[in-house]
Amino acid sequence: MTSQAPGGRDPRPVVATDPRRTGGSGRRRPGARDLRPLLVAGLTAVISLSLVLAAARFGWLGPDVGRGDGFCEAARPGWIRQPANTCSNLAFVIAGLAVAWYAADRVRLGLTLGAHPGLATAYAVLVVLLGPGSMAMHATQSDLGGHLDLLSMFLVSGFALAYALMRFLHRGPGLMAAVFVVAVVLGMAVHLRGGSVAVLGHLGNAAFAAQLWVAVGLEVALIRRRSPRQDVWFGLASLATLTLAFVIWTTGQRDHAWCNPDTLLQQHGAWHVLCAVAAYLLFRHYAAERAAGIPDAGNRGAQRQ
């Protein structure tokens, strides 16, 4: 219950925030934002995009060995071998920057991310890196580019798995960091071992999918636990978008009847865009975590009693 402030001051409830954002007064300045997440993600985008474009231009990643040529688009002459599948990866950079912009308002980060805001910045950076990582393969079709593509994928699936397990076990970022490293190393080990599986193709894709499904299972368990309260709709929207992306991905193979190698409207490009949307929606699922009984909208902090 709020009380009328003396002296005719605004009686509306005060939102409790970080004193660093309020000048020590305890009252949040309207529009105050911590732009460090956006700065870090923005620098990551500029540096990584510059490096991958320079690598493609000057051949730093090695010769074209046809990596990624199974994703329908015909290789063009010049230093960007698959322009549609390359440029569509900018969607990941945009999604990562959108995550960083949202994370700039710490009050909106929810229970766990609010306590560990560095994790939100880390996630923004990893989503940004998905773009240049995939570009490295599609722009050059080099062997090293293919490894960077899978590495960027395991960075995100490793985060999703580690973050879900940290919350499931009620542990801190130390455990998450250890699980993250193990997930990335094991994923890359499976990828480098080689081999193929039905539908998914390369064994590395199967390892990536397995990590995501374990993360999904843990998120479902957290939702069923009910405390803290997890958002359902953002999580479902992320999963539905990723499922649609995978369906489209299966039609973007070189041997599929719908494959048109010479068009710039490639199904694999749509896969990139939809996966970027799914990554952003997953972050919104994370940020919507609330203590049981705390509303999601319009009440982003504790009200003064």
Side-chain angles (χ1 to χ4, degrees):
M1 182 177 67
T2 60
S3 59
Q4 178 69 37
R9 293 197 300 270
D10 186 353
R12 289 176 295 181
V14 174
V15 179
T17 60
D18 189 336
R20 290 173 296 180
R21 300 176 55 204
T22 62
S25 67
R27 183 183 293 273
R28 177 173 173 262
R29 294 195 304 269
R33 303 179 67 85
D34 179 0
L35 295 181
R36 286 175 295 181
L38 191 61
L39 176 62
V40 172
L43 285 175
T44 300
V46 170
I47 294 171
S48 59
L49 286 173
S50 299
L51 286 174
V52 77
L53 290 177
R57 176 66 179 84
F58 299 109
W60 295 345
L61 298 179
D64 180 347
V65 296
R67 284 296 295 267
D69 62 357
F71 294 118
C72 186
E73 186 176 13
R76 268 61 167 188
W79 52 280
I80 301 294
R81 305 296 284 158
Q82 295 183 358
N85 288 343
T86 298
C87 293
S88 57
N89 281 294
L90 289 173
F92 289 115
V93 177
I94 294 171
L97 293 176
V99 168
W101 176 255
Y102 193 94
D105 188 348
R106 182 170 174 178
V107 179
R108 300 193 296 182
L109 286 181
L111 199 61
T112 303
L113 289 181
H116 308 288
L119 296 179
T121 303
Y123 183 76
V125 167
L126 296 182
V127 173
V128 165
L129 289 176
L130 273 171
S134 182
M135 285 180 175
M137 180 179 74
H138 291 292
T140 69
Q141 296 193 153
S142 64
D143 192 51
L144 181 55
H147 296 327
L148 291 175
D149 176 39
L150 264 293
L151 175 60
S152 68
M153 292 165 58
F154 285 125
L155 290 177
V156 173
S157 64
F159 183 99
L161 173 58
Y163 186 64
L165 187 61
M166 179 188 84
R167 287 149 52 226
F168 183 78
L169 296 177
H170 299 292
R171 302 291 294 275
L175 172 75
M176 179 183 171
V179 174
F180 171 77
V181 171
V182 170
V184 173
V185 170
L186 286 180
M188 286 302 294
V190 171
H191 160 64
L192 294 173
R193 180 179 182 274
S196 60
V197 294
V199 181
L200 294 175
H202 196 278
L203 196 60
N205 292 337
F208 171 71
Q211 290 187 6
L212 287 182
W213 278 114
V214 173
V216 168
L218 289 170
E219 292 294 338
V220 171
L222 285 165
I223 290 172
R224 292 174 61 87
R225 190 182 272 177
R226 297 182 182 276
S227 181
R229 186 157 58 87
Q230 310 289 321
D231 178 80
V232 176
W233 299 111
F234 278 120
L236 286 177
S238 178
L239 184 59
T241 303
L242 188 60
T243 301
L244 175 61
F246 176 71
V247 171
I248 294 174
W249 180 87
T250 63
T251 70
Q253 308 298 312
R254 178 58 62 88
D255 57 354
H256 196 277
W258 294 358
C259 170
N260 184 348
D262 299 317
T263 182
L264 289 177
L265 298 176
Q266 290 290 328
Q267 293 98 313
H268 198 70
W271 152 263
H272 291 154
V273 173
L274 288 173
C275 284
V277 173
Y280 177 75
L281 291 171
L282 178 61
F283 171 76
R284 293 297 303 272
H285 164 74
Y286 294 154
E289 181 188 54
R290 295 290 182 269
I294 300 298
D296 289 332
N299 294 285
R300 294 172 178 165
Q303 294 184 354
R304 184 168 56 190
Q305 300 298 313

